[in-house]
């Protein structure tokens, strides 16, 4: 089962990159900065792989990652917090949505 077919009956299935936390979800991502476009492009090492246009300088890629994910998830940027990996390609974000809602939005953007 891949991430495109993992939403069944309101629960996350086979998504190691997404886990519930009280009233929020934790989203683990692998970021490839300095890409030609912003896109979700699958999984990498148990994390959701996301390409970001901005270079990894002065936090630009982190800001663009949060802006891009907020657009995909249809939430304000202040509903998402980078909690780990500020200077790493492997990042953890706290997202104020349910695992189910996040998975639906991610799935919709993979097609």
């Amino acid at each position: 089962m891949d991430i495109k077919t993992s939403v069944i009956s309101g629960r996350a299935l086979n998504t190691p990159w997404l886990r519930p936390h009280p009233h929020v979800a934790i989203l683990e991502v692998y970021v490839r900065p300095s890409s030609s476009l912003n896109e979700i492009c699958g999984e990498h090492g148990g994390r959701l792989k996301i390409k970001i246009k901005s270079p990894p300088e002065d936090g630009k890629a982190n800001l663009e990652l949060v802006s891009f994910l907020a657009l995909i998830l249809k939430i304000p940027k202040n509903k998402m917090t980078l909690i780990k990996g500020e200077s790493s390609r492997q990042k953890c974000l706290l997202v104020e949505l349910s695992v189910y809602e996040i998975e639906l939005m991610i799935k919709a953007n993979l097609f």
Side-chain angles (χ1 to χ4, degrees):
M1 184 181 304
D2 64 16
I3 59 176
K4 292 181 183 178
T5 59
S6 61
V7 176
I8 298 174
S9 71
R11 322 183 349 229
L13 298 174
N14 198 27
T15 53
W17 42 267
L18 183 61
R19 59 182 197 261
H21 197 68
H23 309 291
V24 294
I26 295 178
L27 178 61
E28 295 185 12
V29 299
Y30 176 84
V31 177
R32 185 172 158 221
S34 302
S35 295
S36 58
L37 69 156
N38 293 338
E39 71 175 333
I40 297 170
C41 52
E43 290 185 6
H44 178 83
R47 294 173 180 267
L48 187 65
K49 184 176 180 182
I50 301 175
K51 293 180 181 178
I52 295 295
K53 291 189 288 188
S54 290
E57 306 169 344
D58 303 321
K60 291 177 186 174
N62 289 337
L63 291 174
E64 190 158 351
L65 171 67
V66 169
S67 295
F68 175 65
L69 284 172
L71 180 69
I72 295 295
L73 299 175
K74 298 177 175 47
I75 60 172
K77 290 184 276 190
N78 66 355
K79 298 291 183 183
M80 189 177 324
T81 307
L82 180 63
I83 58 173
K84 187 176 178 185
E86 189 172 316
S87 60
S88 170
R89 288 184 179 212
Q90 297 181 359
K91 303 181 183 299
C92 290
L93 296 114
L94 198 69
V95 183
E96 294 182 31
L97 276 178
S98 71
V99 168
Y100 176 70
E101 291 170 307
I102 293 170
E103 213 175 15
L104 283 177
M105 299 291 192
I106 301 273
K107 179 183 176 190
N109 283 280
L110 287 173
F111 294 106

